[in-house]
């Protein structure tokens, strides 16, 4: 049985597939596999190990014909689930695998913006630093600042745990609990988005939402 892997992944993953007796075909380029190539290379494959950037629909499934689509991602927005169900194709994903990594990245972005790290690096590299001044690139203190988390799921909760260690005050808004969205935006010094893309959350942060935030507020989007 042959498995098509649409981008280079950690060698351990390939080794495990091979050890299980599969023939593994890995797209060797650093760019996304073009759809016409994906259709061609899927022929004769039992399984597809796809990325979130691959659109996996009926024609792709029929090309194998595939029996399994294993998405190398937490979500599966790129997969036509109705087409898979109609064909008896099993679809899997990797929920939870990026919780800590995304929470760490969120805190890194909060720190970078609050302490103006990227701005300061450019300032230094451009040769504009002429010595220390009390008000030079003064950033935001996180201790005592209010972090508004939109979507208090696995990742949002992990961010809250990290932010509390910095002395931040946590408020949240979700489908079932917390503040209303307008109240959260008005109150927060930092707003961090951790909600899935749905018709209800599409363009959740629009012109009116931005206008309702503090002029000094930071907006982080790792959704």
């Amino acid at each position: 049985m042959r498995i098509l892997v649409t981008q280079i992944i950690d060698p351990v993953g390939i080794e495990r597939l091979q050890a299980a007796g599969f023939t593994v075909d890995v797209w060797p380029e650093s760019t996304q596999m073009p759809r016409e190539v994906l259709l061609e290379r899927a022929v004769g494959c039992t399984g597809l190990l796809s990325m979130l950037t691959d659109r996996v629909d009926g024609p792709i499934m029929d090309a194998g014909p595939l029996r399994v689509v294993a998405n190398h991602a937490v979500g599966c927005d790129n997969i036509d689930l109705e087409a898979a169900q109609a064909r008896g194709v099993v679809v899997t994903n990797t929920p939870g695998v990026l919780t800590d990594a995304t929470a760490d990245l969120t805190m890194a972005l909060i720190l970078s913006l609050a302490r103006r790290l990227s701005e300061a690096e450019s300032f230094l590299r451009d040769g504009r630093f002429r010595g220390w001044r009390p008000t030079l690139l003064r950033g935001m203190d996180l201790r005592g600042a209010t972090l508004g988390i939109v979507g208090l799921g696995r990742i949002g909760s992990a961010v809250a745990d990290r932010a509390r260690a910095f002395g931040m005050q946590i408020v949240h808004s979700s489908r079932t609990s917390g503040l209303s969205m307008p109240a959260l935006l008005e109150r927060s010094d930092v707003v961090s988005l951790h909600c899935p893309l749905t018709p209800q959350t599409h363009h959740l942060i629009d012109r009116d939402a931005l206008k309702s935030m503090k002029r000094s507020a930071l907006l982080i989007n790792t959704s």
Side-chain angles (χ1 to χ4, degrees):
M1 293 185 289
R2 192 157 67 92
I3 305 294
L4 175 60
V5 182
T6 64
Q7 284 192 29
I8 298 171
I9 64 171
D10 192 298
V12 172
I14 303 299
E15 292 166 4
R16 289 186 178 181
L17 287 171
Q18 292 172 332
F22 294 107
T23 299
V24 184
D25 177 15
V26 182
W27 174 247
E29 305 297 332
S30 58
T31 55
Q32 180 181 346
M33 185 186 295
R35 180 171 175 83
E36 60 272 16
V37 178
L38 178 54
L39 280 165
E40 179 183 335
R41 292 176 77 144
V43 173
C45 288
T46 300
L48 176 70
L49 200 162
S50 56
M51 307 297 141
L52 196 60
T53 50
D54 300 313
R55 181 165 60 89
V56 183
D57 52 16
I60 297 292
M61 298 173 196
D62 293 338
L66 300 176
R67 291 167 54 188
V68 177
V69 176
N71 217 30
H72 195 271
V74 172
C76 51
D77 297 339
N78 57 308
I79 299 172
D80 187 336
L81 298 180
E82 291 185 1
Q85 185 176 28
R87 292 162 173 78
V89 176
V90 175
V91 176
T92 70
N93 62 341
T94 55
V97 70
L98 294 177
T99 296
D100 286 330
T102 308
D104 288 347
L105 174 62
T106 301
M107 283 308 303
L109 292 172
I110 291 173
L111 285 165
S112 179
L113 283 181
R115 289 303 174 186
R116 303 173 68 177
L117 299 184
S118 179
E119 192 178 348
E121 181 185 28
S122 296
F123 188 84
L124 178 64
R125 289 183 181 275
D126 292 345
R128 291 181 285 160
F129 180 69
R130 297 291 183 267
W132 176 81
R133 301 193 308 274
T135 59
L136 178 63
L137 292 166
R138 185 172 58 192
M140 174 195 295
D141 287 333
L142 293 186
R143 181 168 297 279
T146 298
L147 171 62
I149 297 177
V150 182
L152 197 66
R154 286 190 301 263
I155 296 173
S157 297
V159 171
D161 290 341
R162 287 156 173 78
R164 289 189 186 98
F166 284 86
M168 301 187 77
Q169 305 298 313
I170 309 299
V171 297
H172 79 278
S173 177
S174 66
R175 288 175 297 178
T176 57
S177 63
L179 300 177
S180 67
M181 192 64 184
L184 180 141
L185 294 175
E186 183 179 348
R187 180 173 169 181
S188 299
D189 299 297
V190 181
V191 176
S192 189
L193 305 179
H194 300 283
C195 46
L197 176 61
T198 67
Q200 290 72 38
T201 62
H202 183 246
H203 287 173
L204 179 69
I205 303 298
D206 56 12
R207 181 188 299 272
D208 291 337
L210 291 171
K211 288 174 65 176
S212 70
M213 294 170 65
K214 297 179 182 180
R215 292 185 64 84
S216 60
L218 309 178
L219 177 62
I220 308 293
N221 180 19
T222 56
S223 290

